[in-house]
Amino acid sequence: MRNKKTPNTDYYPLADDNHALQIANMYFDEWRYRHENYWKRLIQLSIITFFATSLPVSFQVFGNLKLPEISLLLFPVCGVVLALLCLVLCLSESSRLSAIAKVRKRIIQVQFGNDFFPDFISLHISVWFPIVLTILQIALAVLMVWTILQGKI
């Protein structure tokens, strides 16, 4: 008896080069949309996290503004929570970006050969940048907690 395997279409070239290019362009459009959305979300959440963490210092700089009657330690804690939330959201979106890029790369490699994409291992900026940013935001929150506990605010 013959073993029937269904072929995986990701590994076989398409009959028409134009069709392959159209599919690759659709994946590129999806990747570009997600990439723009990723950076917009990362910048917005980073700004919100920075201001949430440094709000007690901001009130001190502006002078006459009074803080609400809540613990000042709440602001850095909120900053850490927002930084971790931002990290999770950005890494999940980064995995989606990577998956789309891999499919597009595979379509082009199978259809046109390996000349278009060199094979090397790389850690994309969409992975390491949010990690570094989260570490910096947590360091800022720790500095704020230390400043608050020292009574300087």
Side-chain angles (χ1 to χ4, degrees), residues 8-106:
N8 188 346
T9 57
D10 289 344
Y11 297 100
Y12 296 102
L14 298 170
D16 185 16
D17 286 346
N18 288 331
H19 184 63
L21 284 176
Q22 287 175 348
I23 292 173
N25 283 335
M26 287 190 311
Y27 277 107
F28 180 71
D29 290 340
E30 177 69 19
W31 178 86
R32 185 175 46 201
Y33 165 75
R34 287 188 179 273
H35 188 260
E36 291 171 1
N37 189 27
Y38 168 84
W39 285 105
K40 184 173 73 171
R41 182 180 298 150
L42 177 67
I43 290 169
Q44 288 174 346
L45 287 173
S46 298
I47 291 171
I48 290 169
T49 302
F50 174 77
F51 283 118
T53 303
S54 63
L55 200 57
V57 173
S58 300
F59 278 121
Q60 293 295 326
V61 170
F62 293 119
N64 295 340
L65 298 174
K66 299 291 183 195
L67 283 172
E69 295 298 324
I70 57 174
S71 174
L72 293 179
L73 292 175
L74 183 65
F75 295 106
V77 170
C78 288
V80 169
V81 170
L82 285 172
L84 293 175
L85 176 68
C86 178
L87 178 66
V88 168
L89 290 174
C90 288
L91 290 180
S92 66
E93 189 64 28
S94 175
S95 67
R96 291 183 198 103
L97 279 168
S98 177
I100 292 169
K102 285 179 185 176
V103 170
R104 180 178 175 266
K105 177 181 176 181
R106 186 69 183 149

